[in-house]
Amino acid sequence: MPQCRVNFYRACRFTLVALLLSNLTAQAQAEYSAVSKTESLQFNGITDLSEQQVGKIVFKQISQQLELPVEVELIPAKRAEREVNLGDAAGEIMRIYAYGVDNSNVIRVPTPYYSLKTTAFALKDNPHAQRLVNNINQANIGVVHGGKHTSHYVHSAKSVIQVSSTEQMMKLVRYKRVDLALTSYLDGLQFLKHNSIHGIVPLKSDVASHNLYIYLNHQHADLVPLFDDKIKQLKRTGQLAKMIRDAEAQVLAMQ
């Protein structure tokens, strides 16, 4: 058989295989799209934290733009983490970078879509509070159990009391059982505002700042590029910043 005819047959065979693969890929995408529009995916967030309430609002708006039906439940941090690791939930809506390091069964959407500032709150008339922010190893602190952005201080502070809510943590400050309460700035501010508490204040310098990411169980890894591309697009257009401002205002106005 002449060489040109062999090359022709080879080219035809390659083209046929490519077309078959293309059709299979298109079919798989169509099937996924059809399923995703009829079945809601369960996502978890952390209860009783203001930035998670902001995240829930913004995350659902991002998902809506992707035409991806989702349900978001805010539950205790440890339970949320366990369910995502086991695959009982598709992912978590908002966690810091270290969450992905600590959990091998999850995959991080590379682009963060929010951030939080770990802030110390103290009695307004505590003369030592500001100094202790820079000397956590000398401070008695209160934290909400399971919060990743404050977990480091559990091991570095002089003493720690872990509680299940911001309300309980602020009571520790009020009754002078701890020097500092560590939480996000937005979370602490919302609690103080809604409860008309003026004797506890955020201290001037933030303890730390953290980017916040969407995490998915590995069985939903195909959603990572979809979320990542959408977040990048929303950032470029300025729409994400507006979504966050509106969500923060909504959360601060909640009773």
Side-chain angles (χ1 to χ4, degrees), residues 12 14-15 101 103 106 114 121 141 181 204 225 234:
C12 289
F14 177 81
T15 302
V101 176
N103 294 285
V106 301
Y114 194 52
F121 290 79
I141 67 170
K204 292 180 181 178
L234 293 171

Side-chain angles (χ1 to χ4, degrees), residues 10-249:
R10 285 177 179 173
C12 289
R13 186 182 301 172
F14 177 81
T15 302
L16 180 61
V17 170
L19 287 171
L20 286 172
L21 288 174
S22 177
N23 288 337
L24 287 173
T25 301
Q27 181 181 354
Q29 290 176 337
E31 289 175 355
Y32 172 77
S33 179
V35 170
S36 67
K37 290 180 179 181
T38 57
E39 296 181 7
S40 293
L41 292 173
Q42 177 64 43
F43 281 82
N44 288 341
I46 304 173
T47 190
D48 296 326
L49 291 175
S50 298
E51 76 273 6
Q52 294 280 326
Q53 294 171 335
V54 171
K56 180 178 180 178
I57 295 168
V58 176
F59 175 80
K60 292 188 79 170
Q61 291 174 343
I62 294 172
S63 300
Q64 186 176 18
Q65 291 200 19
L66 290 170
E67 297 185 342
L68 184 69
V70 298
E71 296 292 335
V72 178
E73 185 180 8
L74 302 182
I75 58 179
K78 287 295 184 182
R79 179 184 153 201
E81 186 173 1
R82 182 173 63 253
E83 287 187 1
V84 173
N85 270 283
L86 293 173
D88 294 335
E92 280 208 61
I93 62 170
M94 182 176 280
R95 288 280 198 164
I96 67 172
Y97 189 92
Y99 179 87
V101 176
D102 297 337
N103 294 285
S104 60
N105 289 334
V106 301
I107 183 168
R108 180 189 306 110
V109 174
T111 306
Y113 73 107
Y114 194 52
S115 64
L116 67 80
K117 294 178 179 179
T118 303
T119 303
F121 290 79
L123 286 173
K124 193 174 184 178
D125 59 0
N126 182 346
H128 307 293
Q130 192 63 57
R131 175 184 62 81
L132 290 172
V133 174
N134 299 318
N135 297 277
I136 294 292
N137 63 324
Q138 300 174 18
N140 303 311
I141 67 170
V143 299
V144 175
H145 181 68
K148 290 291 183 182
H149 72 108
T150 56
S151 61
H152 166 74
Y153 307 103
V154 171
H155 306 291
S156 59
K158 180 181 177 181
S159 69
V160 180
I161 299 178
Q162 299 187 60
V163 293
S164 60
S165 69
T166 303
E167 179 181 9
Q168 293 174 345
M169 184 172 56
M170 293 301 183
K171 284 183 178 178
L172 295 177
V173 175
R174 176 180 288 178
Y175 298 137
K176 299 184 179 181
R177 293 191 59 194
V178 299
D179 304 304
L180 309 173
L182 298 186
T183 186
S184 74
Y185 178 78
L186 182 67
D187 181 60
L189 192 67
Q190 184 201 34
F191 178 82
L192 297 178
K193 177 182 177 182
H194 289 177
N195 292 278
S196 300
I197 296 173
H198 306 290
I200 299 175
V201 295
L203 300 180
K204 292 180 181 178
S205 56
D206 296 318
V207 177
S209 181
H210 301 275
N211 285 325
L212 295 169
Y213 303 81
I214 297 169
Y215 282 90
L216 295 142
N217 182 278
H218 274 290
Q219 63 184 329
H220 297 288
D222 52 344
L223 295 178
V224 170
L226 299 181
F227 277 115
D228 199 53
D229 289 347
K230 176 55 68 174
I231 291 169
K232 288 177 179 176
Q233 176 196 344
L234 293 171
K235 281 188 170 185
R236 283 195 304 269
T237 62
Q239 189 176 353
L240 181 62
K242 183 180 185 306
M243 290 161 63
I244 288 171
R245 286 195 303 270
D246 291 346
E248 288 178 339

